[in-house]
């Protein structure tokens, strides 16, 4: 409760629904007094609910599958449903007198029609039949319908007839939003288009001009990262929220034609997580069954990069050891050219002699400090992130540079799904395990298999742990210590 005079309460909807199968679509009426629900293809049923009593007041059995239902915001008790084979059903909720008890009851009246043949002929060659997928009202007299083939059609709601049609795209249209002068279309490819509807009222009146000659045209366009799963816009259509099948939520602003990612995630199950402590900016890498690897900022909790490398599930990801900073890397050896033109080359023997005796001598590179990679193209940080290794369900291993969002190496040491993959403490080899208990050591430079271990055969490898380097040996020169790779431990399901 917010105050002593304002009691707190809760409302629980407990309704016996006529729907026994999945519900395809629901929508409140403009005054929120009623709710319409649409059954799926297994149970084509349309039900009108009263929100005050939580009871159904009218039902209608559909002859075909309907995909979407929309209330008419300009006429009370009227709505439209669209579905298979270009069908559109215009509904009117009417109160009739019950002859048995004299009381009034609600009944749905319908006028069924289909998209004109010439509009269906606008579909791309070789495509399947045209299905209606979405609807929106422009004004009291105009309704726009979208189809599975990207065709938009304009309808006169006074007599429920189609008076114009044009192609919006080659992809299926999933959402339509309209005002009296603008339209937003959304298709399955993740493309949003804003249209100018200037002249559509004149087109309704004349019914003779072509739609695109009446200044009905695309004025703005945006593309997002994946197919769009849900969307909503404000009344002016200048600001909207859009969710995609990639697990991202975007804020779309038509004023400056921009899209801002608000939320992001994997679209599939997260299969592993690896934290990077070697970088100055703490990061986390995650892998998912959708085949992607994501790099996250641990401090800001935002997605920094996403990498898709194939169709297989990504089952494991792991950060390797820190890479030396470019500021401290030695410069490449200098090549000094001497007497190149003093002895002209006339034969292969002359060339061999020249290469052996005179052409090149190599000096060790200077240890001068190289410039840092601040502002380097494609870099996510001033300090390079360690390389990471990812394992996949098809037995592949990928050596990834998430800093540059690229794949450094691809190899297939396993014939079955990889369960875990690790980089050695010096980064020279990858150690991976699979569902059959095979352990494979692979070279990170060539990708070749160094060794196979079968001690865990028959039981999936569940984890591999790499110890930090602990041993040192004296080099032959006696003036430099050399770190040896640490031990590693493997665990299996047995």
């Amino acid at each position: 409760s917010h105050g002593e005079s304002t009691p707190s309460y809760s409302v629980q909807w407990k309704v016996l629904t006529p729907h026994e199968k999945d519900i395809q679509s629901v929508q409140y009426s403009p005054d929120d007094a009623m709710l319409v629900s649409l059954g799926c293809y297994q149970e084509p049923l349309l039900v009108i609910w009263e929100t005050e009593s939580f009871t159904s007041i009218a039902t209608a059995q559909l002859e075909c599958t309907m995909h979407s239902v929309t209330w008419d915001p300009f006429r009370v008790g009227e709505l439209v449903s669209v579905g298979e084979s270009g069908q559109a059903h215009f509904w009117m909720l009417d109160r009739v007198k019950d002859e048995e008890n004299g009381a009034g009851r609600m009944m749905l009246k319908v006028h069924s029609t289909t998209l004109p043949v010439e509009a269906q002929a606008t579909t791309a060659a070789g495509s399947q039949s045209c299905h209606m997928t979405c609807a929106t009202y422009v004004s009291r007299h105009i309704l726009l319908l979208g189809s599975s083939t990207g065709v938009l059609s304009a309808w006169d709601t006074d007599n429920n007839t189609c008076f114009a049609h044009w192609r919006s795209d080659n992809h299926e249209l999933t959402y339509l939003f309209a005002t009296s002068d603008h339209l937003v279309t959304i298709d399955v490819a993740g493309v949003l288009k804003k249209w100018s509807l200037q002249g559509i009222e004149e087109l309704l009146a004349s019914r003779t001009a072509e739609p695109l000659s009446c200044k009905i045209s695309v004025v703005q366009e945006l593309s997002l990262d994946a197919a769009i799963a849900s969307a909503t816009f404000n009344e002016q259509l200048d600001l909207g929220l859009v969710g995609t099948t990639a697990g991202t939520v975007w804020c779309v602003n038509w004023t400056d034609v921009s899209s801002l990612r608000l939320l992001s995630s994997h679209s599939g199950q997260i299969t592993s997580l690896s934290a990077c402590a070697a970088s100055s900016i703490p990061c986390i890498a995650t892998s998912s069954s959708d085949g992607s690897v994501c790099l996250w900022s641990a401090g800001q909790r935002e997605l920094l990069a996403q990498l898709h490398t194939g169709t297989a599930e990504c089952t494991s990801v792991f950060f390797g050891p820190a890479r030396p900073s470019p500021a401290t890397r030695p410069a490449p050896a200098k090549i000094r050219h001497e007497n190149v033109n003093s002895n002209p080359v006339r034969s292969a023997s002359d060339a061999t002699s020249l290469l052996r005796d005179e052409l090149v001598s190599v000096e060790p590179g200077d240890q001068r400090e190289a410039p840092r990679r601040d502002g380097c193209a494609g870099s996510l940080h001033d300090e390079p992130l360690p390389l990471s290794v990812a394992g996949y369900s098809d037995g592949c291993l990928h050596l990834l540079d998430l800093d540059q969002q690229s794949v450094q190496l691809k190899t297939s040491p396993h014939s079955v799904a990889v369960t875990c993959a690790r980089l050695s403490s010096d980064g020279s080899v990858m150690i991976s395990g699979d569902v059959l208990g095979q352990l494979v050591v692979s070279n990170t430079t060539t990708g070749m298999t160094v060794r196979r271990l079968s001690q865990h055969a028959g039981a999936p490898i569940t984890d591999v742990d790499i110890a930090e380097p602990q041993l040192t040996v004296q080099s032959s020169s006696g003036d430099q210590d050399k770190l040896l790779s640490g031990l590693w431990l493997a665990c299996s399901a047995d």
Side-chain angles (χ1 to χ4, degrees), residues 430-481:
M430 299 177 289
I431 304 170
S432 56
D434 60 30
V435 294
L436 297 181
Q438 288 282 335
L439 282 166
V440 179
V441 181
S442 306
N443 188 289
T444 55
T445 303
T446 64
M448 296 182 64
T449 298
V450 178
R451 190 170 181 182
R452 292 184 180 271
L453 303 173
S454 304
Q455 282 80 354
H456 294 280
I461 302 297
T462 56
D463 195 13
V464 173
D465 190 24
I466 309 293
E468 293 295 327
Q470 300 292 333
L471 302 177
T472 59
V473 297
Q474 199 74 11
S475 63
S476 58
S477 61
D479 58 359
Q480 185 179 6
D481 290 337

Side-chain angles (χ1 to χ4, degrees), residues 13 23 55 112 121 278 287 329 384 443 476:
W13 281 49
I23 295 176
T55 57
S112 300
S287 62
R329 289 178 184 169
N443 188 289
S476 58

Side-chain angles (χ1 to χ4, degrees), residues 100-119:
E100 295 182 359
N101 52 24
R105 62 182 180 87
M106 304 302 294
M107 186 179 69
L108 281 167
K109 297 180 179 179
V110 62
H111 177 264
S112 300
T113 184
T114 59
L115 187 67
V117 176
E118 60 269 20

Side-chain angles (χ1 to χ4, degrees), residues 259-442:
S259 56
L260 174 66
R261 184 170 53 204
L262 301 178
L263 299 172
S264 57
S265 66
H266 293 286
S267 60
Q269 178 183 357
I270 294 177
T271 54
S272 70
L273 180 149
S274 179
C276 174
S279 174
S280 59
I281 301 179
C283 298
I284 297 173
T286 54
S287 62
S288 172
S289 58
D290 61 11
S292 66
V293 174
C294 287
L295 180 67
W296 308 83
S297 168
Q300 299 177 352
R301 297 176 177 86
E302 292 183 354
L303 180 66
L304 299 178
Q306 189 170 22
L307 192 62
H308 286 269
T309 58
T311 58
E313 297 182 7
C314 187
T315 56
S316 176
V317 66
F318 182 77
F319 275 114
R323 289 190 284 179
S325 172
T328 60
R329 289 178 184 169
K334 295 192 299 182
I335 301 178
R336 185 173 73 245
H337 299 267
E338 300 175 348
N339 303 324
V340 174
N341 297 319
S342 59
N343 295 318
V345 179
R346 298 186 178 89
S347 64
S349 60
D350 289 342
T352 305
S353 175
L354 186 62
L355 286 171
R356 183 181 67 246
D357 301 328
E358 297 178 343
L359 182 60
V360 177
S361 63
V362 179
E363 295 179 354
D366 296 337
Q367 298 299 321
R368 291 177 295 179
E369 186 170 309
R372 294 183 62 84
R373 63 187 289 180
D374 298 45
C376 179
S379 176
L380 297 173
H381 307 87
D382 292 341
E383 179 184 349
L385 287 174
L387 294 178
S388 58
V389 59
Y392 292 84
S393 58
D394 58 359
C396 289
L397 292 177
H398 292 176
L399 189 64
L400 307 177
D401 186 350
L402 294 178
D403 192 32
Q404 300 292 337
Q405 303 178 46
S406 62
V407 180
Q408 300 294 309
L409 177 71
K410 294 182 180 180
T411 182
S412 301
H414 300 273
S415 60
V416 292
V418 176
T419 55
C420 64
R422 300 289 185 266
L423 279 166
S424 63
S425 55
D426 61 359
S428 62
V429 295
M430 299 177 289
I431 304 170
S432 56
D434 60 30
V435 294
L436 297 181
Q438 288 282 335
L439 282 166
V440 179
V441 181
S442 306

